[in-house]
Amino acid sequence: MRIEGGTELSIRSGESPSSVGGGAGSAIRFGVEEEFFVVDAATREAVPAAAAVVRGAEGRLGSRVCGEITKLQLEARSEPCDTAADLYAQLVEGRVAVAEAAEAQGLRVVASGTPVLGKVIPPPITEGPRQDRGTATFRGLHDELGICAVHVHVNMPDRDRAVLISNHLRPHLPVLIALAANSPYWAERDTGYSSWRTVTWQRWPVAGPPPYFSSAEQYDAFVGTLLDAGALVDRGTIFWDIRLSAHQPTLEVRVADMPTTAEESAALAALVRALVVVAGQAVDGGDPGPVVAAELMRLAYWRAARDGLGGHGVDVHSGQLRPAGELADELLRLAEPVLADLGELDLVADWRRRLATDGDGATRQRRAAEQRGRLTDVVDHLVAHTSPR
């Protein structure tokens, strides 16, 4: 398993998934949804051709591939997994399948939080009754809906426990934004931000960090308020960065930009699952989670989105500005005992070291542009590292 630059992580190409990432990994199953942009192979512009790619990949992936809200995007997802090694194998399978389906159509797929090139404002919205209700509800917000994220689902059938675990995860969200920052470009220009996707997403009425809840009953009551107010099309449009899944017995963490490589998605998911385990231990000990002011969370989100991992972030517990790398290292130390028990510490630690050496995804995108001053080179960089072939 390799991240760009050639350094191997702890899951190596050709290694049996059952031989790594074992241990107690079966304690909580997890899975990932990855979103991709479809781009023209010649112009490198994002194009509304996702349906053709989905059709081409369905023979191999079946229901694990589908369209998205815009015609520029598609989604590939894993089945529930016990280990990060199993997850990685499924992510590789999904990426290879959609990449090959795209190539058969003279297209490519890229993993990035935002498209680099193309006329994507407003994006072409997929047709359907639900999409039409969304357009009627959210109106101009759909104009900037061409964004891609990675969603991590962790099995959590006890909804009351899931809500309290969400309270514990909530302060970690800005650090996860910085670790996965991979969307510096928008409308064919450099935004100056590392995660522009995070910035655009905050405009929605139900987005960003979830409120602090004391129970599933309180969660459900507030969702009912949102539905009554017309802020949701349905429960599937609860876009908080942590939410109880509307269809699965899972807690879904959806804060991160779409990572460029499958290795990064697997490592991020392993970290999220470990943080869920740590939070669950605290909840089982009677701790309902720290209360962090929404205003401070908003500030920390903005700084993480602007600086990514290479600048500074806001410590949501103290309010102090600190190097983002320090905050990331503290988060990894919190998860370290669980990652070690799961056999996945090397995977996450190697990812962190590679981020320190090569930079976050946004930094790597900008480096690709700087070599010749061409945004087409950024797309080529993304294409080359999206599919691990």
Side-chain angles (χ1 to χ4, degrees), residues 173-179 181 192-195 296-316 318-329 352 360 363 366:
L173 293 174
V175 182
L176 294 175
I177 289 171
L179 281 165
Y193 281 73
S194 296
S195 177
L296 194 55
M297 287 293 295
R298 182 177 178 85
L299 175 63
Y301 260 53
W302 169 75
R303 191 71 193 223
R306 196 194 74 171
D307 286 16
L309 199 58
H312 286 74
V314 174
D315 184 328
V316 297
S318 68
Q320 294 179 338
L321 196 65
R322 297 176 53 197
E326 286 185 7
L327 295 173
D329 289 339
R352 174 68 186 100
D360 56 30
T363 298
R366 289 187 171 114

Side-chain angles (χ1 to χ4, degrees), residues 12-331:
R12 289 173 288 277
S13 178
E15 191 166 18
S16 168
S18 63
S19 68
V20 289
S26 60
I28 302 181
R29 307 193 84 192
F30 67 145
V32 162
E33 298 166 346
E34 293 193 306
E35 298 171 344
F36 303 91
F37 291 109
V38 177
V39 301
D40 183 270
T43 67
R44 281 79 151 197
E45 294 182 355
V47 291
V53 178
V54 169
R55 287 193 298 270
E58 281 176 334
R60 181 167 180 180
L61 298 179
S63 63
R64 286 174 50 205
V65 63
C66 64
E68 263 293 334
I69 183 64
T70 83
K71 298 179 181 180
L72 306 173
Q73 302 158 268
L74 59 90
E75 176 184 285
R77 52 183 174 267
S78 74
E79 298 289 347
C81 298
D82 292 321
T83 69
D86 292 336
L87 176 65
Y88 171 67
Q90 290 198 28
L91 296 181
V92 169
E93 180 186 22
R95 286 176 177 239
V96 169
V98 298
E100 291 179 349
E103 289 175 8
Q105 301 285 334
L107 304 166
R108 301 291 186 267
V109 290
V110 297
S112 175
T114 49
V116 179
L117 294 171
K119 296 177 176 61
V120 298
I121 305 172
I125 303 297
T126 305
E127 291 92 357
R130 187 168 182 261
Q131 291 85 347
D132 292 344
R133 292 198 304 273
T135 299
T137 300
F138 300 120
R139 305 176 188 184
L141 289 177
H142 273 194
D143 289 353
E144 297 185 1
L145 198 53
I147 54 179
C148 286
V150 59
H151 301 162
V152 181
H153 287 260
V154 182
N155 188 51
M156 193 62 52
D158 185 331
R159 298 178 77 252
D160 280 310
R161 189 167 183 266
V163 164
L164 299 182
I165 286 174
S166 174
N167 292 340
H168 282 274
L169 297 179
R170 189 169 172 265
H172 304 327
L173 293 174
V175 182
L176 294 175
I177 289 171
L179 281 165
N182 192 35
S183 54
Y185 295 101
W186 183 250
E188 304 190 352
R189 63 181 289 268
D190 191 329
T191 65
Y193 281 73
S194 296
S195 177
W196 187 249
R197 183 198 65 88
T198 296
V199 176
T200 63
W201 203 221
Q202 302 313 300
R203 301 176 183 180
W204 288 69
V206 187
Y212 187 100
F213 293 112
S214 60
S215 66
E217 182 180 7
Q218 186 186 23
Y219 179 100
D220 291 337
F222 189 63
V223 170
T225 298
L226 294 169
L227 285 165
D228 291 343
L232 303 173
V233 172
D234 52 39
R235 292 178 183 271
T237 54
I238 299 169
F239 294 138
W240 288 321
D241 288 331
I242 311 172
R243 70 179 184 184
L244 304 184
S245 173
H247 307 293
Q248 304 291 337
T250 64
L251 188 65
E252 182 183 2
V253 179
R254 39 190 293 120
V255 71
D257 285 353
M258 178 63 190
T260 303
T261 67
E263 296 94 330
E264 291 171 293
S265 285
L268 174 70
L271 174 60
V272 167
R273 178 173 64 165
L275 292 172
V276 168
V277 173
V278 172
Q281 293 168 349
V283 168
D284 294 343
D287 184 353
V291 178
V292 178
E295 296 82 1
L296 194 55
M297 287 293 295
R298 182 177 178 85
L299 175 63
Y301 260 53
W302 169 75
R303 191 71 193 223
R306 196 194 74 171
D307 286 16
L309 199 58
H312 286 74
V314 174
D315 184 328
V316 297
H317 300 292
S318 68
Q320 294 179 338
L321 196 65
R322 297 176 53 197
E326 286 185 7
L327 295 173
D329 289 339
E330 285 184 2
L331 188 64

